[in-house]
Amino acid sequence: MTETREPVIEARDLHFRAGASHILRGVDLIVEPGEVVALLGANGSGKSTLVKTLVGINPPTQGTVRLLGEPLTAGRRTTVDRSRIGYVPQRANAGGGIPSTAQEVVASGLLHGRRLALPRGWRDRVAAALTQVGLADRVHDPVHLLSGGQQQRILIARALVREPDLLILDEPVAGVDVASQEAFATTMRRLVDGGLTVLVVLHELGELEPLVTRAVVLGHGKVVHDGTPPQARRDHDRAGHRHQHPHADDNTLGEQARALDLEVRP
Ligand SMILES: Nc1ncnc2c1ncn2[C@@H]1O[C@H](COP(=O)(O)OP(=O)(O)O)[C@@H](O)[C@H]1O
Ligand SMILES: [Mg+2]
């Protein structure tokens, strides 16, 4: 093994067009090992599109992506080791239309690429992942009977069950109650201390603020800020002044509708 520490994510001049819309317009993003990068920006600025491009769901119309030092090339079998990458999509519905248990949904995180059978010991790994999100006692519960926040934690467990080196999360705490957000932040702290690299789309920094090492802000499909997280700067600049939070529900329905739409698009 070489000692050179390559970027975990290296995106160069990424463009993504869908029909007439030019959604990503030249994004450069480098994430180094151990960083926790928050991806921020207004609704519709292209955050979900960017993370989908990074994980290979949206092949870029221009530009290149390297993950874990390997190129992600559309239409060809990639040498990227997908088992080292966990992805938590923006929440639509963890269970889909068919009742699945928490165990089944989390176990599906162990299937990737050419792995079509669950590995030996999968039940223990699923139990460990559910424990990490505080849902060990729900292993046999149908996910559609769980609360929205619990379903979100199931999706996080599905990503964590791989024991990834890179975790990409799209609004993981949207619609999740404060206690669960705190528990999530604690879990993330432990994983980051263990060497995990994180790219997380957030509506606001919230409970994850102490963990975030850098903020990248998108505006109209371009990076408009890359550096100090805005919240930290705000505390420094005007301590004591109450921050104006955007309303938590100003995007939820539209975002979810869009997420659903994107899930069914061929
Ligand atoms: N596949 C697609 N086809 C057409 N428009 C899309 C597609 N995906 C996203 N969009 C549009 O691109 C813009 C960015 O969307 P999105 O990446 O979901 O933003 P964000 O996650 O920052 O809210 C929005 O205007 C959205 O409607
Ligand atoms: Mg989004």
Side-chain angles (χ1 to χ4, degrees):
M1 288 301 284
T2 158
E3 277 302 302
T4 320
R5 302 270 275 165
E6 287 174 289
V8 176
I9 298 175
E10 186 176 358
R12 301 276 183 196
D13 191 32
L14 277 191
H15 290 254
F16 182 75
R17 291 171 189 271
S21 332
H22 195 169
I23 299 168
L24 298 182
R25 302 187 299 146
V27 172
D28 290 289
L29 178 65
I30 311 285
V31 178
E32 302 287 351
E35 281 194 291
V36 178
V37 176
L39 184 59
L40 309 170
N43 293 334
S45 57
K47 305 180 298 295
S48 293
T49 304
L50 176 57
V51 297
K52 286 179 194 204
T53 305
L54 294 176
V55 300
I57 294 171
N58 285 339
T61 37
Q62 186 184 317
T64 56
V65 176
R66 294 176 74 87
L67 296 177
L68 305 164
E70 301 290 326
L72 193 65
T73 314
R76 277 204 245 133
R77 181 164 287 153
T78 177
T79 42
V80 174
D81 181 356
R82 289 199 168 273
S83 70
R84 293 174 57 199
I85 302 170
Y87 169 55
V88 180
Q90 192 161 352
R91 178 156 61 97
N93 188 338
I98 300 165
S100 307
T101 64
Q103 186 182 52
E104 288 166 351
V105 173
V106 175
S108 72
L110 291 168
L111 303 171
H112 46 81
R114 287 146 79 199
R115 173 168 278 291
L116 299 176
L118 289 169
R120 210 182 294 276
W122 69 271
R123 282 188 184 79
D124 290 342
R125 290 178 63 179
V126 168
L130 283 169
T131 300
Q132 285 190 304
V133 298
L135 291 175
D137 54 337
R138 302 305 186 121
V139 62
H140 296 300
D141 283 20
V143 290
H144 73 288
L145 297 182
L146 300 178
S147 72
Q150 288 171 329
Q151 290 187 17
Q152 185 70 323
R153 285 147 70 189
I154 295 288
L155 290 180
I156 293 165
R158 185 179 67 175
L160 293 181
V161 74
R162 294 182 179 187
E163 298 169 33
D165 295 320
L166 168 63
L167 189 56
I168 297 178
L169 310 104
D170 195 347
E171 302 209 21
V173 289
V176 172
D177 59 87
V178 173
S180 299
Q181 289 193 32
E182 285 168 359
F184 174 63
T186 304
T187 301
M188 294 301 290
R189 163 59 67 198
R190 194 175 60 242
L191 294 168
V192 167
D193 287 347
L196 182 70
T197 303
V198 180
L199 177 66
V200 56
V201 177
L202 292 173
H203 198 256
E204 53 188 48
L205 292 175
E207 301 295 330
L208 289 184
E209 185 186 350
L211 275 168
V212 170
T213 56
R214 193 175 123 213
V216 172
V217 182
L218 282 190
H220 301 290
K222 287 186 174 170
V223 174
V224 295
H225 172 86
D226 187 343
T228 317
Q231 194 99 350
R233 204 176 45 196
R234 184 260 312 173
D235 285 341
H236 181 256
D237 288 347
R238 27 179 212 144
H241 189 103
R242 206 169 148 68
H243 176 59
Q244 288 246 313
H245 287 283
H247 281 288
D249 59 357
D250 69 358
N251 75 333
T252 314
L253 280 177
E255 286 280 309
Q256 289 189 5
R258 221 177 296 153
L260 281 169
D261 184 29
L262 289 169
E263 298 306 324
V264 297
R265 186 171 280 126

